[in-house]
Amino acid sequence: MFKIRGMRGFLTCSIGVTCAAALTLAPAVLNMPSAVAAPADRATTATAHPAGTAPSGSTRSLPLTPRTRERVLGQAPEQGAYRTGVRHFSLVGVSWADPGTELLGQVQVRTRSVATGHWSDWQDVDTHNADHGADPDTAEASSGRVHGATAPLWVGASDGVDVRVRAKAGPGPGVGRDLLPAGLRLELVDPGDEAPSEGLPGDSPRTDTVADSAAAVNADLVSFAATEIPALSRADTERELRELGGSSAPLAKPHIGPRPRIVTRRGWGADESLREKGFVYTGKVKVAFVHHTDSGNGYRCSDAPSVIRSIYRYHVVSMGWRDIGYNFLVDKCGTIYEGRAGGVAKAVRGAHTLGFNNNSMGIAVIGTFGSHKPPAAAVTGIARLTAWKLGLFGANPKGKTYLKSGGGNLYPKGKNVRLNVISGHRDGYATDCPGAKLYARLGSARTSSAHLQGR
């Protein structure tokens, strides 16, 4: 018997019955002393669904073990894991027990491609991910299921992995060296297949009430089983705004951009059984925070639904959030995707900008933009999305407004902070996100968004 991590804690599984068998360690590669016992692997398999109604997917959580005999207060300053022949995965990350503990050190990973059988070069995984998440003192943050974690890294279909985690070096061996967080685990995420684009065979009634509720919240905009919300002209968008009864938008001359095409959660294949039931809303949307997923740029636009399914599973299963953290995602081709469930036209509270999730929305561009320029199509996608969504709440993309901090490392709890209506993640929290290159393009996004609103 061994345990697996699920949405609400740990389950005990019999090897070969409901969970995949534990994989063998590679002591020679890990350089792990024989006296050190390795914790058990955990696997979270796809939830069973009626045939053709939901995507597959899985998360395997592997324990990291000491790579050296050196100890600091009984804890090894370098840990790792090596596996080959594992169930295919496409995204990796490292998690640990306490979300309040920072990983002070370096995480590197290399993976073996299913297509070529070759190992990749070592890649750095960003350890600074605490700036994302639910606000302090919220039910989501205090659920007891939340874990610390690195940013996720998209690696493509792989069947082998080698990871090394090193504590930040001190002035001498074993002296002044920062400890690694307890409970380090390697998370291997298989995004599974996309959900079917059609309804059940014979249009039989749906029985998945959680999936039904995720679709129903967009019923004012699109048919129940739609995989996308189609674009509208500006005139039709203004008409829709009046029909929706946008109370905060000016009725005489609404400043709202044309509604862009948005791929729904059904469209990108969300397994609705993973997330928490129900939705959490805030009062309005006053600020749009722009992020990058920091998951790397090595994906094709056709891969974007798989990347999103992987990030969704990583946020929920590995990190313990109620749903994917972002309200929307934009890929390198400018395609816009619905993120956290609750309705694309509604003020859904996300978990994207720690301390400022109330009265805001989070838009994540899929990729890493510290030293890489974001594609023009992605910046255009931000402009088109914000022109529409901010327009629903009467917000000027080129304006400024105030948000009250829920607590963070940049502003104390309760402080009213003046922010750009379109802000970068770093404007609300001391972080590199959304990357220097994307942050530099936000001025252009503001101008384009305001123009689309007719300002």
Side-chain angles (χ1 to χ4, degrees), residues 89-106:
F89 61 91
S90 296
L91 181 140
V92 301
V94 171
S95 68
W96 54 92
D98 182 5
T101 301
E102 185 178 0
L103 196 163
L104 300 173
Q106 182 183 45

Side-chain angles (χ1 to χ4, degrees), residues 2 22-27 30 32-42 61-66 71 79-83 184-185:
F2 64 100
L23 298 167
T24 58
L25 290 170
L30 296 178
M32 186 181 74
S34 59
V36 178
D41 294 355
R42 294 198 294 266
S61 183
L62 311 177
L64 300 192
T65 52
R71 296 288 186 275
Q79 299 183 41
Y82 175 87
R83 300 288 193 278
L184 286 170
R185 304 189 73 90

Side-chain angles (χ1 to χ4, degrees), residues 191-249:
D193 301 322
E194 290 192 46
S197 59
E198 304 296 333
L200 295 175
D203 294 326
S204 57
R206 294 182 58 120
T207 58
D208 187 344
T209 57
V210 178
D212 287 356
S213 64
V217 288
N218 289 318
D220 289 341
L221 308 180
V222 73
S223 63
F224 184 83
T227 58
E228 66 177 58
I229 298 168
L232 291 180
S233 68
R234 188 174 177 199
D236 286 341
T237 302
E238 291 177 358
R239 186 178 305 112
E240 179 185 75
L241 174 62
R242 291 191 291 271
E243 292 172 354
L244 290 174
S247 59
S248 62

Side-chain angles (χ1 to χ4, degrees), residues 53-386:
T53 64
S56 58
S58 65
T59 300
R60 177 168 290 279
S61 183
L62 311 177
L64 300 192
T65 52
R67 294 176 68 108
T68 70
R69 295 181 181 273
E70 183 183 359
R71 296 288 186 275
V72 179
L73 299 178
Q75 188 172 348
E78 183 174 341
Q79 299 183 41
Y82 175 87
R83 300 288 193 278
T84 57
V86 300
R87 174 174 175 160
H88 294 178
F89 61 91
S90 296
L91 181 140
V92 301
V94 171
S95 68
W96 54 92
D98 182 5
T101 301
E102 185 178 0
L103 196 163
L104 300 173
Q106 182 183 45
V107 176
Q108 292 184 310
V109 66
R110 65 188 186 110
T111 53
R112 189 173 69 181
S113 167
V114 169
T116 67
H118 297 154
W119 286 88
S120 70
D121 294 331
W122 287 100
Q123 301 182 75
D124 290 319
V125 182
D126 190 357
T127 62
H128 303 292
N129 199 38
D131 47 357
H132 297 77
D135 288 352
D137 302 325
T138 61
E140 184 172 4
S142 58
S143 67
R145 298 187 299 271
V146 180
H147 299 273
T150 66
L153 179 67
W154 176 260
V155 295
S158 305
D159 64 0
V161 62
D162 191 6
V163 62
R164 58 193 185 196
V165 181
R166 295 169 174 160
K168 186 170 65 176
V175 178
R177 189 187 293 259
D178 288 302
L179 297 178
L180 293 173
L184 286 170
R185 304 189 73 90
L186 173 65
E187 307 290 328
L188 304 179
V189 181
D190 169 21
D193 301 322
E194 290 192 46
S197 59
E198 304 296 333
L200 295 175
D203 294 326
S204 57
R206 294 182 58 120
T207 58
D208 187 344
T209 57
V210 178
D212 287 356
S213 64
V217 288
N218 289 318
D220 289 341
L221 308 180
V222 73
S223 63
F224 184 83
T227 58
E228 66 177 58
I229 298 168
L232 291 180
S233 68
R234 188 174 177 199
D236 286 341
T237 302
E238 291 177 358
R239 186 178 305 112
E240 179 185 75
L241 174 62
R242 291 191 291 271
E243 292 172 354
L244 290 174
S247 59
S248 62
L251 297 179
K253 185 180 179 181
H255 287 288
I256 184 170
R259 188 181 74 190
R261 171 181 173 266
I262 302 172
V263 177
T264 65
R265 289 172 65 92
R266 182 174 174 83
W268 55 259
D271 182 348
E272 300 293 354
S273 68
L274 292 178
R275 65 172 176 84
E276 287 290 304
K277 295 180 180 179
F279 315 105
V280 180
Y281 297 99
T282 185
K284 58 178 63 177
V285 176
K286 298 172 63 178
V287 173
F289 285 104
V290 177
H291 305 254
H292 64 172
T293 59
D294 211 8
S295 53
N297 303 313
Y299 72 96
R300 297 168 297 182
C301 291
S302 59
D303 293 329
S306 294
V307 178
I308 296 171
R309 290 197 302 278
S310 297
I311 294 173
Y312 170 46
R313 181 172 278 274
Y314 187 72
H315 282 180
V316 175
V317 178
S318 300
M319 299 185 68
W321 297 355
R322 63 174 289 116
D323 194 350
I324 191 170
Y326 308 113
N327 297 102
F328 296 93
L329 298 97
V330 180
D331 69 19
K332 62 173 64 175
C333 290
T335 301
I336 300 166
Y337 300 85
E338 178 184 14
R340 178 162 289 206
V344 297
K346 302 180 187 299
V348 180
R349 189 169 71 193
H352 48 82
T353 306
L354 188 68
F356 289 99
N357 290 305
N358 276 330
N359 295 329
S360 72
M361 69 173 181
I363 305 168
V365 180
I366 303 173
T368 304
F369 303 108
S371 58
H372 291 82
K373 292 182 179 179
V379 178
T380 298
I382 294 170
R384 295 175 64 228
L385 174 58
T386 53

